[in-house]
Amino acid sequence: MLRMRAFVILGSTARADGGVLLDDLPGTSGRLDVLARCVRAALCVSHGIRRDVLLYLVLLGGAAPRTVRIDGAHAKFIRPDERSLATLLLKAIGRVGSEDARFVEQRSGIAVACAGLEAVLHDLTGVPLVVLEKGAPDIRGARLTNAAFFIGDHVGFDPAAREALVSAGARPVGVGPISLHSDDVVTVLHNELDRELDRTGG
Ligand SMILES: C[S@@+](CC[C@H](N)C(=O)[O-])C[C@H]1O[C@@H](n2cnc3c(N)ncnc32)[C@H](O)[C@@H]1O
């Protein structure tokens, strides 16, 4: 099996419509800024991109759900600053032509589905699922390599989303006793998995 890490960020209020102002992302986009920071954390390393990462951003705050999938193996022009990343997301979603619930590539490595969590779960069929929760059993010792990690936004998971994940077989895992920002959780996960692979020669 190919080595692959997937991250899924559930943006319960995030939207990407014409009312979003780049000069006031937190105030006008339902916190698309939270998702933009997760793009940097999931894909950007010093002087490069993590090619083995798939990132899903689920935007549930608009008139209809939208999910952006960024494939590190093919994505181009991923810059580390929040404004460029928000622009990238807005453009990708703005290009959507028809209401297709499947992922449709809008530019190299970046696809959009006109659907929410269900599109992600369908896309990740067969991949072990992990739901990130403070207080859950620690990632250390969990022996995870290939997996999809589901992370909440500034308000956390809504009960229906958490229930859907557990029903789909997701295993709860934690990264320590303090509640962290979503992008910091991604960074900690990468670091733990990088170290585990380094230790085991993977
Ligand atoms: C800013 S936190 C959410 C805070 C929200 N008020 C709550 O209580 O759920 C964003 C997300 O990061 C993840 N998270 C935060 N701290 C964590 C921890 N220590 N271990 C595992 N996941 C964590 C969870 O998925 C959470 O939904």
Short mmCIF file of all heavy atoms in Angstrom, two decimals, residues 8 10 56 58-60 64-67 99-103 113-125 129 150 160-161 164-165 168:
data_model
loop_
_atom_site.label_atom_id
_atom_site.label_comp_id
_atom_site.label_asym_id
_atom_site.label_seq_id
_atom_site.Cartn_x
_atom_site.Cartn_y
_atom_site.Cartn_z
N VAL A 8 -8.77 15.76 7.28
CA VAL A 8 -10.09 16.28 6.92
C VAL A 8 -10.46 17.31 7.97
O VAL A 8 -10.53 16.99 9.17
CB VAL A 8 -11.16 15.16 6.90
CG1 VAL A 8 -12.48 15.72 6.40
CG2 VAL A 8 -10.69 13.97 6.08
N LEU A 10 -13.31 19.83 9.28
CA LEU A 10 -14.74 20.11 9.16
C LEU A 10 -15.00 21.57 9.56
O LEU A 10 -14.93 21.92 10.74
CB LEU A 10 -15.54 19.17 10.06
CG LEU A 10 -15.48 17.69 9.68
CD1 LEU A 10 -16.32 16.86 10.62
CD2 LEU A 10 -15.96 17.49 8.25
N TYR A 56 -8.61 17.45 2.89
CA TYR A 56 -10.01 17.76 2.57
C TYR A 56 -10.47 18.89 3.49
O TYR A 56 -10.29 18.80 4.71
CB TYR A 56 -10.91 16.56 2.83
CG TYR A 56 -10.62 15.35 1.99
CD1 TYR A 56 -9.62 14.46 2.35
CD2 TYR A 56 -11.37 15.07 0.85
CE1 TYR A 56 -9.37 13.33 1.58
CE2 TYR A 56 -11.13 13.94 0.08
CZ TYR A 56 -10.12 13.08 0.45
OH TYR A 56 -9.87 11.97 -0.31
N VAL A 58 -13.91 20.78 4.45
CA VAL A 58 -15.36 20.70 4.30
C VAL A 58 -15.95 22.04 4.75
O VAL A 58 -15.79 22.44 5.91
CB VAL A 58 -15.94 19.54 5.14
CG1 VAL A 58 -17.44 19.40 4.89
CG2 VAL A 58 -15.22 18.24 4.83
N LEU A 59 -16.61 22.74 3.84
CA LEU A 59 -17.20 24.05 4.14
C LEU A 59 -18.72 23.88 4.25
O LEU A 59 -19.40 23.61 3.26
CB LEU A 59 -16.89 25.06 3.02
CG LEU A 59 -15.47 25.64 2.94
CD1 LEU A 59 -14.49 24.63 2.39
CD2 LEU A 59 -15.47 26.89 2.07
N LEU A 60 -19.20 24.03 5.46
CA LEU A 60 -20.62 23.76 5.70
C LEU A 60 -21.42 25.03 5.99
O LEU A 60 -22.61 24.96 6.27
CB LEU A 60 -20.76 22.78 6.89
CG LEU A 60 -20.14 21.40 6.65
CD1 LEU A 60 -20.11 20.59 7.94
CD2 LEU A 60 -20.91 20.66 5.57
N ALA A 64 -24.93 25.91 0.32
CA ALA A 64 -24.85 24.46 0.10
C ALA A 64 -23.42 24.02 0.43
O ALA A 64 -22.48 24.81 0.28
CB ALA A 64 -25.17 24.13 -1.35
N PRO A 65 -23.24 22.77 0.90
CA PRO A 65 -21.89 22.35 1.28
C PRO A 65 -20.94 22.27 0.10
O PRO A 65 -21.35 21.94 -1.02
CB PRO A 65 -22.11 20.97 1.91
CG PRO A 65 -23.43 20.51 1.43
CD PRO A 65 -24.25 21.72 1.11
N ARG A 66 -19.68 22.54 0.37
CA ARG A 66 -18.62 22.41 -0.62
C ARG A 66 -17.43 21.73 0.07
O ARG A 66 -17.11 22.07 1.21
CB ARG A 66 -18.14 23.76 -1.14
CG ARG A 66 -19.22 24.57 -1.87
CD ARG A 66 -19.39 24.04 -3.28
NE ARG A 66 -20.32 24.81 -4.08
CZ ARG A 66 -21.60 24.48 -4.29
NH1 ARG A 66 -22.12 23.41 -3.72
NH2 ARG A 66 -22.37 25.22 -5.06
N THR A 67 -16.78 20.80 -0.62
CA THR A 67 -15.57 20.20 -0.06
C THR A 67 -14.44 20.33 -1.07
O THR A 67 -14.59 19.95 -2.23
CB THR A 67 -15.79 18.71 0.29
OG1 THR A 67 -16.85 18.63 1.25
CG2 THR A 67 -14.53 18.09 0.88
N GLU A 99 -23.78 21.39 -9.91
CA GLU A 99 -23.85 20.79 -8.56
C GLU A 99 -23.53 19.30 -8.63
O GLU A 99 -24.44 18.47 -8.63
CB GLU A 99 -25.24 21.01 -7.96
CG GLU A 99 -25.53 22.43 -7.56
CD GLU A 99 -24.78 22.89 -6.31
OE1 GLU A 99 -24.72 22.12 -5.33
OE2 GLU A 99 -24.22 23.99 -6.33
N ASP A 100 -22.25 18.97 -8.71
CA ASP A 100 -21.83 17.57 -8.79
C ASP A 100 -21.31 17.13 -7.41
O ASP A 100 -20.39 17.75 -6.87
CB ASP A 100 -20.72 17.44 -9.85
CG ASP A 100 -20.51 15.99 -10.27
OD1 ASP A 100 -20.75 15.09 -9.44
OD2 ASP A 100 -20.08 15.78 -11.41
N ALA A 101 -21.90 16.08 -6.87
CA ALA A 101 -21.50 15.62 -5.53
C ALA A 101 -20.17 14.86 -5.55
O ALA A 101 -19.62 14.56 -4.50
CB ALA A 101 -22.60 14.73 -4.95
N ARG A 102 -19.66 14.57 -6.77
CA ARG A 102 -18.35 13.91 -6.86
C ARG A 102 -17.25 14.97 -6.95
O ARG A 102 -17.53 16.12 -7.31
CB ARG A 102 -18.29 13.02 -8.11
CG ARG A 102 -19.24 11.84 -8.05
CD ARG A 102 -19.42 11.26 -9.42
NE ARG A 102 -19.93 12.29 -10.34
CZ ARG A 102 -20.16 12.11 -11.63
NH1 ARG A 102 -19.90 10.96 -12.19
NH2 ARG A 102 -20.64 13.09 -12.38
N PHE A 103 -16.01 14.57 -6.65
CA PHE A 103 -14.91 15.53 -6.76
C PHE A 103 -14.60 15.78 -8.23
O PHE A 103 -14.38 14.83 -9.00
CB PHE A 103 -13.67 15.00 -6.03
CG PHE A 103 -13.80 15.14 -4.54
CD1 PHE A 103 -14.20 14.07 -3.75
CD2 PHE A 103 -13.56 16.36 -3.92
CE1 PHE A 103 -14.35 14.21 -2.38
CE2 PHE A 103 -13.70 16.52 -2.55
CZ PHE A 103 -14.09 15.44 -1.78
N ALA A 113 -16.02 19.10 -4.51
CA ALA A 113 -17.29 18.36 -4.56
C ALA A 113 -18.39 19.24 -3.98
O ALA A 113 -18.15 19.95 -2.99
CB ALA A 113 -17.19 17.06 -3.75
N CYS A 114 -19.56 19.20 -4.59
CA CYS A 114 -20.69 19.96 -4.06
C CYS A 114 -21.41 19.07 -3.05
O CYS A 114 -22.55 18.62 -3.26
CB CYS A 114 -21.62 20.38 -5.19
SG CYS A 114 -20.80 21.51 -6.33
N ALA A 115 -20.73 18.75 -1.99
CA ALA A 115 -21.24 17.86 -0.95
C ALA A 115 -20.35 18.03 0.27
O ALA A 115 -19.31 18.72 0.20
CB ALA A 115 -21.20 16.41 -1.44
N GLY A 116 -20.74 17.39 1.37
CA GLY A 116 -19.99 17.54 2.61
C GLY A 116 -19.29 16.25 3.01
O GLY A 116 -18.66 15.57 2.18
N LEU A 117 -19.43 15.90 4.29
CA LEU A 117 -18.71 14.76 4.86
C LEU A 117 -18.92 13.46 4.08
O LEU A 117 -18.00 12.64 3.95
CB LEU A 117 -19.16 14.60 6.32
CG LEU A 117 -18.48 13.55 7.16
CD1 LEU A 117 -16.97 13.76 7.20
CD2 LEU A 117 -19.05 13.57 8.58
N GLU A 118 -20.12 13.26 3.53
CA GLU A 118 -20.42 12.00 2.83
C GLU A 118 -19.50 11.82 1.62
O GLU A 118 -19.08 10.69 1.31
CB GLU A 118 -21.90 11.91 2.44
CG GLU A 118 -22.42 12.94 1.45
CD GLU A 118 -22.73 14.33 2.04
OE1 GLU A 118 -22.32 14.60 3.18
OE2 GLU A 118 -23.36 15.13 1.33
N ALA A 119 -19.15 12.93 0.95
CA ALA A 119 -18.26 12.83 -0.22
C ALA A 119 -16.86 12.39 0.23
O ALA A 119 -16.19 11.61 -0.45
CB ALA A 119 -18.18 14.17 -0.95
N VAL A 120 -16.45 12.89 1.38
CA VAL A 120 -15.12 12.54 1.91
C VAL A 120 -15.08 11.06 2.29
O VAL A 120 -14.14 10.33 1.93
CB VAL A 120 -14.77 13.42 3.13
CG1 VAL A 120 -13.41 13.04 3.68
CG2 VAL A 120 -14.82 14.89 2.77
N LEU A 121 -16.10 10.63 3.01
CA LEU A 121 -16.12 9.23 3.46
C LEU A 121 -16.14 8.28 2.26
O LEU A 121 -15.48 7.24 2.26
CB LEU A 121 -17.32 8.98 4.37
CG LEU A 121 -17.23 9.68 5.74
CD1 LEU A 121 -18.54 9.52 6.52
CD2 LEU A 121 -16.06 9.14 6.56
N HIS A 122 -16.85 8.67 1.23
CA HIS A 122 -16.90 7.85 0.01
C HIS A 122 -15.51 7.81 -0.64
O HIS A 122 -15.02 6.75 -1.06
CB HIS A 122 -17.94 8.42 -0.96
CG HIS A 122 -18.09 7.60 -2.19
ND1 HIS A 122 -17.45 7.90 -3.38
CD2 HIS A 122 -18.77 6.45 -2.42
CE1 HIS A 122 -17.75 6.99 -4.28
NE2 HIS A 122 -18.54 6.10 -3.73
N ASP A 123 -14.85 8.96 -0.71
CA ASP A 123 -13.53 9.05 -1.34
C ASP A 123 -12.47 8.25 -0.57
O ASP A 123 -11.51 7.77 -1.16
CB ASP A 123 -13.11 10.53 -1.37
CG ASP A 123 -12.31 10.90 -2.61
OD1 ASP A 123 -12.69 10.46 -3.71
OD2 ASP A 123 -11.30 11.62 -2.47
N LEU A 124 -12.67 8.13 0.75
CA LEU A 124 -11.67 7.48 1.60
C LEU A 124 -12.03 6.04 1.93
O LEU A 124 -11.52 5.47 2.90
CB LEU A 124 -11.49 8.28 2.90
CG LEU A 124 -10.80 9.64 2.74
CD1 LEU A 124 -10.90 10.44 4.04
CD2 LEU A 124 -9.35 9.48 2.32
N THR A 125 -12.88 5.45 1.15
CA THR A 125 -13.29 4.06 1.39
C THR A 125 -12.05 3.16 1.52
O THR A 125 -11.14 3.22 0.68
CB THR A 125 -14.18 3.55 0.22
OG1 THR A 125 -15.31 4.39 0.14
CG2 THR A 125 -14.62 2.12 0.46
N LEU A 129 -9.90 5.31 9.60
CA LEU A 129 -10.36 6.66 9.97
C LEU A 129 -10.05 6.94 11.44
O LEU A 129 -10.22 6.06 12.29
CB LEU A 129 -11.87 6.78 9.74
CG LEU A 129 -12.41 6.36 8.36
CD1 LEU A 129 -13.92 6.55 8.30
CD2 LEU A 129 -11.73 7.15 7.25
N PHE A 150 -9.56 13.19 11.11
CA PHE A 150 -10.66 14.16 11.06
C PHE A 150 -10.52 15.13 12.24
O PHE A 150 -10.41 14.70 13.40
CB PHE A 150 -12.01 13.44 11.14
CG PHE A 150 -12.35 12.68 9.89
CD1 PHE A 150 -11.76 11.44 9.63
CD2 PHE A 150 -13.23 13.20 8.96
CE1 PHE A 150 -12.05 10.74 8.47
CE2 PHE A 150 -13.53 12.51 7.80
CZ PHE A 150 -12.94 11.27 7.55
N ALA A 160 -23.82 15.42 15.21
CA ALA A 160 -24.20 14.57 14.07
C ALA A 160 -22.96 14.14 13.28
O ALA A 160 -22.85 12.98 12.84
CB ALA A 160 -25.17 15.32 13.16
N ALA A 161 -22.00 15.06 13.11
CA ALA A 161 -20.78 14.73 12.36
C ALA A 161 -19.97 13.70 13.13
O ALA A 161 -19.46 12.73 12.56
CB ALA A 161 -19.97 16.00 12.11
N ALA A 164 -21.57 10.37 12.76
CA ALA A 164 -21.36 9.81 11.42
C ALA A 164 -19.96 9.20 11.32
O ALA A 164 -19.77 8.13 10.72
CB ALA A 164 -21.54 10.89 10.36
N LEU A 165 -18.99 9.87 11.93
CA LEU A 165 -17.61 9.36 11.88
C LEU A 165 -17.47 8.07 12.67
O LEU A 165 -16.87 7.10 12.20
CB LEU A 165 -16.64 10.42 12.41
CG LEU A 165 -16.48 11.64 11.52
CD1 LEU A 165 -15.65 12.72 12.19
CD2 LEU A 165 -15.83 11.22 10.20
N ALA A 168 -18.94 5.29 10.93
CA ALA A 168 -18.11 4.86 9.79
C ALA A 168 -16.86 4.11 10.26
O ALA A 168 -16.02 3.73 9.44
CB ALA A 168 -17.72 6.06 8.94
#
